[in-house]
Amino acid sequence: MTHLPPPAEELRLLDAELWQLDARRTQLLARRAWLVASLQSSRPAAPPLPPAAPRPEASAPRVQNVLLLLGGILLTVAAIAFTLVSWGHLGITGRALVLGTVTLVVLAAPLPLLRRGLRSTAESVAGLGLALTVLDAYALHEAALTGTDGTGYAAAAAAVLAGLWAAYGRGLGALRLPLPAALVAAQLPLTLWAVAAGADPYAVATALLVTAGLDTVLALVLPAGAGGAVRVTATACGYGLGGWGVLAAGWLSWTATGPGAAARAAALLVLAAVIALVAAARLPEPGVATGTAVAGGLLLVAAGGGALRVFLPAGWAVPVHLVWGVALLAAVRADRLPAPVRQGLVRACAAVQALALLWAVPLVVVTLLGPLGWAERPWRGEPSDARAAVTVHTPWPPYAGQALLVLVAVAGVLFLAGRDETRRPWARTGALVLAWAACVALPSVLGLPYAAALLMLGAVTVVTAFLPTPWPALAGSLHLAFLSLATRSATLTVLSVLTVSCATASRWPRLTPVAAPAALGYATALAVATGAAAGWQPSRTALLVLCVPVAAALAAARLGASPATVPVEVAGAAAALLALGLAVTDAPMLATVLAGCATIAAGTAARPDRRRAAYPAAALFLLAGWVRLAAWDVTTPEAYTLPVTVPALLVGAWRRRRDPLTGSWTAYGPGLAATLVPSLAAVWSDPQWPRPLLLGAAALLVTLLGARHRLRAPLLLGGSVLVLDTLHELAPYLVQAADALPRWVPPALAGVLLLAVGATYERRLRDVRHVREVLGRMD
């Protein structure tokens, strides 16, 4: 029969064989790398590739256009210089002959160029001819019409030039430049005539908007294929002049002080809105049409609000504009409007509501965040009213009543919009959140008494708990809790009611993930407030706070696999940390709290899905024992720790015998740490030699046992304690040796160490991997 060695002997043989295989593999890899390097060094070098031919960076048509453009610019600059500088050296006849001849020759030059197929050159020459006509107009004014008004003459000249350039472009149909240039020149006459006639800003803004309207009509009439350059130019001019006209009309509406001025400015805004909406209805691109309709809707709102603003007192401008924004929804119901226009008006209404809500944000912020100031100054006395309670460290915003109306109005609009199936989810949620914000701000706006405000906010919190989303109720309860910090009785009453209410609400499965941890949080706050009201020290209050983790552990065990289990456990852990923080100044009480936390963790570890809680439970028990020993000023901790260590090690050995898969940290870690760590702490404060000697011997024995039985916990714990104990004993001699050594010795030793490590880097890495594998195979 085949002889089979014991498992331990067979494992040792397998480890030895695997180590030999790793060593042989390392040798073979080194030999392979040397052979690859030898073959690469003997291989002939590849011939260099021929340099790639340089590629041109610009195409021939682009070079041609650039040259023609530069030539036309240079000729135009030369003509301007001639007109401005050399004009006075010629007589009237010479001036007329020179300018007329040059202009006619340049304007006629594109004809033969077009017949020869030189279209780009003809465009450049035509552009020069158009520039010369502008110089002719300027020269005519300077020579013969110096007495005329400059602005009026510029308006007439622009109109004449626009007509001449349009006729020239129609005559030479192959050129693309004259017609857009004529359209650009046509933007000036109406506005310049208004300025020349001494018109007021309303007339100038009207001229801008009328010109923009004509551009819009032209852009909509021209077909998409033919006259593309003219259409693009008309579109750009319409947007440009329309934007300036809208800015002017908006400024006039904002600065209007009487009904007449406000009505005239509103008429201008209506004109701009009509132009935008007509264009949106005719534009073929849906995206552009929707954006234009948004602009038109906003202009209508600005017109209506600006017209009524002068009749109302301060603070009502935003509500009035909001009313006009909501009125846009009536136009959306008109089926005759195109879809992009309706969509644009809806977005305009949404934009108006968003801006109104942004104006009302300060009221909500002050109402919700203002009570946080009571955390710094609790129980200072009952405030005079609800407004004083929320403005403990923030100023009250102006026009709070109007802001409250804005919240209510927008909430109503969203509620009505929620009737549509496509908008129902977000519209109803937004309406409920805004309604809740309005209810929270209502007591402060009305200046209700402090007690009445607490009652009303409590009722609002209870009602909002039944909403589809529980978060407004949670935010309202936090606001109520901070608001109650003004007086002691209010704090205790409100926290008690909130604790009971949240605990009751946690019975509904929909509210459990939020209500259960909220109940624990308010219970923690109630415990702290109760201790402070009774005049207890923080360490005594910690015992009362410790009741919350107990309740959390019991609730988590009852919840099982519910989604609320983890939030409840997190809330309990937070309360336990708070209890530890309160007891940290009193060592005996801290040991008691640590023991309580350890007991809670141990009870949690009894659950099958929370076995890992045994580790923190053991650590907390050990820490509680160490703190208790330190509180008793014990100089011989072994007398108290060895009676715990010996049974703990026996229990660990018994558990490993029953369950061989139990790790050494679970079986032996708590027992060994219970004695080794306090003894090590006592060694560092003990000047005598027996304790360090005994501790070192014990740590050495534990380390050897861990190495013999391949157990990770005894090996690491014993080795760490042995190293620290040795350092403690050798520290005085190391200090003396460091003082005796020359200053250059430590850097030299460091340099030698670095060289040695660098020379054997690969072998060291292999050894480290081997040690890691050995530790990994340990229990």
Side-chain angles (χ1 to χ4, degrees):
M1 296 178 66
T2 303
H3 172 68
L4 296 178
E9 182 66 21
E10 184 179 1
L11 181 61
R12 187 184 64 81
L13 294 175
L14 288 176
D15 290 340
E17 292 292 336
L18 289 174
W19 185 85
Q20 293 178 2
L21 288 175
D22 290 339
R24 182 59 178 165
R25 184 174 184 274
T26 303
Q27 295 175 358
L28 293 176
L29 288 175
R31 180 64 179 172
R32 180 182 181 279
W34 182 84
L35 291 175
V36 171
S38 299
L39 291 175
Q40 290 179 350
S41 61
S42 61
R43 186 176 300 170
L49 297 176
R55 298 178 59 186
E57 297 181 356
S59 60
R62 183 172 296 179
V63 172
Q64 169 189 317
N65 293 334
V66 170
L67 293 177
L68 292 174
L69 179 61
L70 291 176
I73 291 174
L74 291 176
L75 288 176
T76 303
V77 171
I80 293 173
F82 168 77
T83 304
L84 296 178
V85 178
S86 301
W87 181 257
H89 300 289
L90 299 176
I92 186 64
T93 304
R95 300 172 187 174
L97 289 175
V98 170
L99 281 177
T101 303
V102 172
T103 303
L104 291 176
V105 169
V106 173
L107 291 176
L111 292 174
L113 293 175
L114 289 174
R115 285 196 294 267
R116 293 177 178 271
L118 302 176
R119 182 174 178 177
S120 299
T121 306
E123 292 281 0
S124 299
V125 174
L128 176 60
L130 299 181
L132 288 176
T133 57
V134 177
L135 294 177
D136 289 339
Y138 170 75
L140 178 61
H141 179 268
E142 293 297 323
L145 301 174
T146 55
T148 60
D149 178 61
T151 306
Y153 178 80
V160 173
L161 289 177
L164 292 177
W165 291 353
Y168 180 70
R170 297 292 294 178
L172 301 176
L175 296 179
R176 293 176 295 182
L177 181 60
L179 289 179
L183 184 57
V184 172
Q187 307 303 309
L188 303 176
L190 194 57
T191 304
L192 292 179
W193 275 330
V195 175
D200 56 4
Y202 296 93
V204 175
T206 303
L208 290 173
L209 293 175
V210 169
T211 305
L214 295 176
D215 293 331
T216 303
V217 172
L218 183 61
L220 295 175
V221 169
L222 289 176
V230 179
R231 186 184 182 193
V232 171
T233 305
T235 302
C237 292
Y239 277 113
L241 288 183
W244 283 108
V246 167
L247 289 177
W251 179 77
L252 292 173
S253 177
W254 182 259
T255 57
T257 57
R264 296 176 64 185
L268 293 176
L269 292 173
V270 170
L271 175 60
V274 170
I275 295 172
L277 293 176
V278 170
R282 297 289 303 273
L283 287 173
E285 298 85 358
V288 179
T290 301
T292 307
V294 170
L298 293 177
L299 290 173
L300 286 177
V301 172
L308 297 179
R309 180 182 57 84
V310 296
F311 297 100
L312 300 174
W316 288 95
V318 174
V320 167
H321 283 83
L322 179 61
V323 171
W324 281 101
V326 175
L328 287 178
L329 294 178
V332 175
R333 299 180 179 275
D335 297 334
R336 291 178 297 179
L337 293 176
V341 176
R342 293 200 302 270
Q343 188 176 7
L345 293 177
V346 170
R347 293 184 180 181
C349 176
V352 173
Q353 295 179 60
L355 293 174
L357 289 178
L358 186 63
W359 179 75
V361 161
L363 173 63
V364 180
V365 171
V366 171
T367 303
L368 294 180
L369 302 184
L372 295 179
W374 289 109
E376 300 178 358
R377 53 182 80 175
W379 300 350
R380 294 297 180 88
E382 181 176 345
S384 58
D385 55 14
R387 183 175 301 179
V390 300
T391 56
V392 61
H393 72 310
T394 55
W396 183 249
Y399 313 124
Q402 293 84 337
L404 182 64
L405 291 178
V406 167
L407 293 175
V408 174
V410 176
V413 172
L414 291 178
F415 182 79
L416 294 176
R419 297 179 179 179
D420 190 356
E421 294 293 336
T422 59
R423 305 190 186 100
R424 176 172 296 177
W426 62 267
R428 288 292 177 88
T429 303
L432 293 176
V433 170
L434 291 177
W436 167 79
C439 292
V440 171
L442 182 60
S444 302
V445 174
L446 298 179
L448 297 180
Y450 177 69
L454 292 179
L455 291 175
M456 181 176 179
L457 292 175
V460 171
T461 302
V462 173
V463 172
T464 52
F466 297 97
L467 296 179
T469 174
W471 299 113
L474 180 60
S477 64
L478 288 173
H479 174 260
L480 182 60
F482 278 103
L483 197 64
S484 67
L485 294 177
T487 63
R488 179 182 305 177
S489 58
T491 301
L492 296 176
T493 303
V494 169
L495 290 178
S496 301
V497 172
L498 288 177
T499 302
V500 174
S501 300
C502 292
T504 304
S506 63
R507 300 178 60 183
W508 282 271
R510 182 180 63 86
L511 301 176
T512 304
V514 177
L520 294 174
Y522 290 129
T524 304
L526 178 61
V528 175
T530 302
W536 293 352
Q537 294 295 327
S539 56
R540 292 188 60 188
T541 305
L543 293 177
L544 190 59
V545 174
L546 199 60
C547 298
V548 178
V550 175
L554 295 176
R558 183 177 181 181
L559 289 172
S562 171
T565 302
V566 174
V568 166
E569 292 175 341
V570 171
L577 289 176
L578 178 60
L580 292 174
L582 292 173
V584 72
T585 57
D586 188 350
M589 190 61 69
L590 178 60
T592 304
V593 174
L594 284 171
C597 293
T599 305
I600 296 171
T604 303
R607 295 162 50 191
D609 57 337
R610 292 293 186 268
R611 296 299 188 191
R612 293 182 178 273
Y615 298 105
L620 288 171
F621 273 124
L622 288 176
L623 190 58
W626 298 340
V627 172
R628 176 58 65 181
L629 293 177
W632 285 342
D633 295 330
V634 173
T635 59
T636 309
E638 292 81 5
Y640 300 91
T641 57
L642 284 176
V644 177
T645 295
V646 174
L649 293 178
L650 293 177
V651 171
W654 173 75
R655 182 176 179 181
R656 277 183 61 84
R657 182 178 294 276
R658 294 192 58 186
D659 186 7
L661 298 179
T662 304
S664 62
W665 284 108
T666 303
Y668 305 120
L672 292 174
T675 294
L676 291 178
V677 176
S679 299
L680 181 62
V683 160
W684 283 88
S685 60
D686 189 356
Q688 305 298 324
W689 62 270
R691 186 193 301 275
L693 180 60
L694 294 175
L695 179 62
L700 178 61
L701 178 61
V702 171
T703 303
L704 293 177
L705 290 176
R708 174 66 180 81
H709 297 285
R710 298 179 181 273
L711 298 176
R712 188 179 302 177
L715 180 62
L716 295 180
L717 280 175
S720 301
V721 173
L722 180 60
V723 170
L724 293 175
D725 183 67
T726 304
L727 289 176
H728 172 265
E729 291 302 304
L730 296 179
Y733 303 100
L734 294 177
V735 172
Q736 293 177 4
D739 292 337
L741 288 177
R743 295 298 178 90
W744 57 268
V745 172
L749 292 177
V752 172
L753 178 62
L754 291 177
L755 289 177
V757 172
T760 59
Y761 184 72
E762 183 176 1
R763 185 173 180 81
R764 299 291 182 245
L765 287 178
R766 186 185 64 190
D767 295 341
V768 170
R769 286 196 296 269
H770 180 66
V771 172
R772 185 179 61 188
E773 292 173 359
V774 171
L775 290 176
R777 289 192 292 268
M778 292 183 179
D779 294 333

